[in-house]
Amino acid sequence: EAGVVQSPRYKIIEKKQPVAFWCNPISGHNTLYWYRQNLGQGPELLIRYENEEAVDDSQLPKDRFSAERLKGVDSTLKIQPAELGDSAVYLCASSFYSNTEAFFGQGTRLTVV
Amino acid sequence: AQTVTQSQPEMSVQEAETVTLSCTYDTSESNYYLFWYKQPPSRQMILVIRQEAYKQQNATENRFSVNFQKAAKSFSLKISDSQLGDTAMYFCAFLMSQGAQKLVFGQGTRLTINP
């Protein structure tokens, strides 16, 4: 069974440019998460989806970040415009239900210069 | 709000030794889950072990075991017969069984296994 797939693995952009990350969760998993991990810290939740509904986006900076989960499967996280402080690893995870263990992708390392 | 604290930023042991990583958490909930995740340089978070708070028996997975002290809100990870491949960042994480369904992570412990 394939795991959580994220792309790209690395992205370098100039500040004020837009960027998008893509995530394909494990087949059959209803819950999808986007986490941000700053250097030397643990991941922090940005948004959680139950199927196609965003049920927790309280930590998502909505002035510049947006996300969608098409048909309750794949998800895209977008930043526009990017700021220097957005440099981090963006992790996608999925779980069968929200109170079961989450499986993570390999993340996208974003560098904003 | 739930918080998770890992007080050991870095640890280093020799191959084949036993090492214990510490984790404490703060919650007013009675039903929850605790996890240890491993993050090697590849960045992928890999689940090492899971503990349900209602279970008194400590979870074990091969060379990995936990010491879960619910009253003390402590959840340490013991790695026996450590191997070079155990070198990674280790994160302790908390998940409520109901309500806000998000993993709350500690700051991590960087573990190095030396040959």
Side-chain angles (χ1 to χ4, degrees), chain A residues 42-105:
Chain A
E44 294 182 331
L45 182 73
L46 289 173
I47 190 167
R48 174 170 66 95
Y49 282 92
E50 296 290 347
N51 297 305
E52 67 274 12
E53 181 181 0
V55 296
D56 184 355
D57 62 357
S58 57
Q59 300 303 310
L60 189 73
K62 299 181 182 63
D63 56 336
R64 298 183 300 106
F65 285 65
S66 64
E68 60 180 3
R69 188 180 185 194
L70 300 174
K71 299 181 180 179
V73 181
D74 293 359
S75 179
T76 303
L77 178 68
K78 298 178 180 178
I79 308 175
Q80 182 172 10
E83 298 178 352
L84 296 177
D86 296 331
S87 295
V89 173
Y90 291 82
L91 294 166
C92 179
S94 70
S95 61
F96 192 60
Y97 288 117
S98 56
N99 63 348
T100 58
E101 59 211 50
F103 296 84
F104 285 79

Side-chain angles (χ1 to χ4, degrees), chain B residues 49-68:
Chain B
I49 200 165
R50 161 194 171 124
Q51 175 80 42
E52 289 88 347
Y54 66 86
K55 290 187 177 180
Q56 292 185 335
Q57 186 172 6
N58 290 323
T60 62
E61 287 288 342
N62 301 313
R63 297 182 296 107
F64 299 87
S65 61
V66 299
N67 183 3
F68 174 48

